[in-house]
Amino acid sequence: MFTMTRILFAAACFFIAQAAIADPRSAPIDASGRAERVGAKQAAHRQVLNPALTPKAGNAVNVSTPGLPRANAVRAYPPSCLADPLPDQTLGPTYSKSVNLAAFDRNSGQFVSEGVTITVWRVACSSSTFFTSATLMRIQRQSQFEGDAVIYPLFPALQAKQGNIVFSDDPNYVLNLIRSPTEPNTVISDTLTDTPIIFSTTFVLENYDSSAAGFFDFNLAFGLRFDNLLTGGASDLYFLDVPTYSPTQGTYPAAYQNLPISGYMTSNFYDPAASGEGLAMQIFEPVGDAQNLIVSFTWVAYDPAGIPFWLSGQATIVRGAKSASATMFYRTDGGLGGNSGAASAPIIWGTATVSFPDCNTMTLTYASNPGLPAGIPTGNGTRTWLRLANVNALACE
């Protein structure tokens, strides 16, 4: 009986110990001075968000007309790579760290800590000249705490290191600060230290548009430091290293595939080997249709007699499609400036398919129908066209 009692007592102690180890929330923590530590971190971020240090100051202060779209010179990824909302599932290699973030208990008004998992991964973007990606970071709460707004973790003080930029506790050293908004393609949006994290959230790593801030190429290796600011000591710190983005067919297949067609492909394309020939590409959003896109393109060429000859095609595709095939047609008659009769009805010429290996390259596969009138250009094959320009400062890459 005594032996059985000891066994039961030992088992009870074991389960109590296991529960303590597995418990992702701690008891209240003496976080004296934490308000000052948080204030110092937030002040550092406000320093690089200061309008006087950004290019917007000269364009947006005391003017009545809004500025025109411009390319973000410090963007961390092509704007065509991501759209809202950011994904909540990882794809490809991931880099994770289990950390204890400061958490606030609204019932007691005290600070505790909550264990979360921070995961960093990359999304493959267009790679016209080099492999490029967007870098995402997700703070994942444990399932039993998801959505708990009574006790919730707080966004840590976040720093990055790369090259000559290092981690530092110097409040005046702001080169290691990075933005971490919850939606892509922003300029000043940010998530400040101590922002509540009620639900698991994905952030995208960005640079500050400020002369006081550092610049990070997140395609290269970099490190992150997370500081929960609970005690002000080394136990508050967690580190995560992310290697250089080196995609393979296996790790990031999207880096080797055609791009999904979107409005970012709208442009004129040309073939350097075929002077005077070009293709005008336009991608539209049908009014009231959020599921499809209209791809319209015109091949501007010449017939055997040297007379301009245009082929046009249009196709409706589902958003996310990586190619568009259209029936190509031409017209005859017509004139210039309304000084002649109407043009003929569309005359079917053949078919053409367009796809985009990257943002600056278009592949055109075409085939004419048999039995076309004499003098009409015919043929079949595949052509590679190059982008002539970006539209409205919204660079595809």
Side-chain angles (χ1 to χ4, degrees), residues 8 15 54 74 116 139 184 209 235-236 247 292 313 329 344 346 357 372-373:
L8 293 175
F15 285 118
T54 70
V74 296
V116 302
I139 297 181
D209 189 5
S235 62
D236 294 346
N292 300 302
F329 64 88
S344 71
L372 291 172

Side-chain angles (χ1 to χ4, degrees), residues 183-204:
E183 60 182 8
N185 296 319
T186 59
V187 179
I188 62 173
S189 177
D190 201 2
T191 304
L192 289 180
T193 303
D194 254 27
T195 297
I197 304 172
I198 308 301
F199 295 93
S200 300
T201 305
T202 302
F203 308 86
V204 58

Side-chain angles (χ1 to χ4, degrees), residues 2 115 166:
F2 177 72
V166 299

Side-chain angles (χ1 to χ4, degrees), residues 29 57 68 76 85 113 120 132 171 190 203 207 210 215 221 253 300 334 370:
I29 294 173
L68 296 175
S113 70
V120 175
T132 185
D190 201 2
F203 308 86
N207 289 299
S210 168
F215 177 83
V300 180

Side-chain angles (χ1 to χ4, degrees), residues 17 44 70 74 85 93 96 105 121 147 153 156 158 171-172 186 200 221 281 299 365:
R70 67 177 180 89
V74 296
S96 297
D105 186 338
W121 75 101
L158 179 62
N172 297 313
T186 59
S200 300
M281 170 66 62
W299 185 352
T365 301

Side-chain angles (χ1 to χ4, degrees), residues 7 26 51 75 96 102 119 127 131 137 151 159 175 196 198 208 214-215 229 241 268 272 332 347 371 390:
I7 292 174
S26 69
R75 63 177 180 258
S96 297
T119 301
S127 301
F131 286 120
M137 179 183 76
I151 304 177
Q159 294 184 5
L175 293 177
I198 308 301
Y208 281 104
F215 177 83
L229 304 173
D241 291 322
N268 290 337
T332 59
I347 302 171
N390 289 317

Side-chain angles (χ1 to χ4, degrees), residues 266-348:
T266 294
S267 184
N268 290 337
F269 290 80
Y270 73 103
D271 181 353
S275 178
E277 189 177 358
L279 191 144
M281 170 66 62
Q282 299 181 83
I283 292 93
F284 303 100
E285 296 181 347
V287 176
D289 184 352
Q291 305 301 318
N292 300 302
L293 295 173
I294 296 175
V295 180
S296 177
F297 50 97
T298 300
W299 185 352
V300 180
Y302 295 88
D303 68 12
I307 298 174
F309 181 79
W310 290 17
L311 287 171
S312 298
Q314 182 170 296
T316 299
I317 61 171
V318 176
R319 284 181 184 269
K322 296 183 177 182
S323 65
S325 297
T327 298
M328 303 298 290
F329 64 88
Y330 66 94
R331 296 176 185 268
T332 59
D333 302 326
L336 175 67
N339 294 323
S340 59
S344 71
I347 302 171
I348 302 301

Side-chain angles (χ1 to χ4, degrees), residues 154-186:
L154 304 169
F155 192 80
L158 179 62
Q159 294 184 5
K161 71 170 183 177
Q162 186 179 72
N164 295 326
I165 300 176
V166 299
F167 299 137
S168 174
D169 290 318
D170 183 350
N172 297 313
Y173 185 80
V174 295
L175 293 177
N176 54 26
L177 299 183
I178 56 175
R179 290 195 302 120
S180 48
T182 57
E183 60 182 8
N185 296 319
T186 59

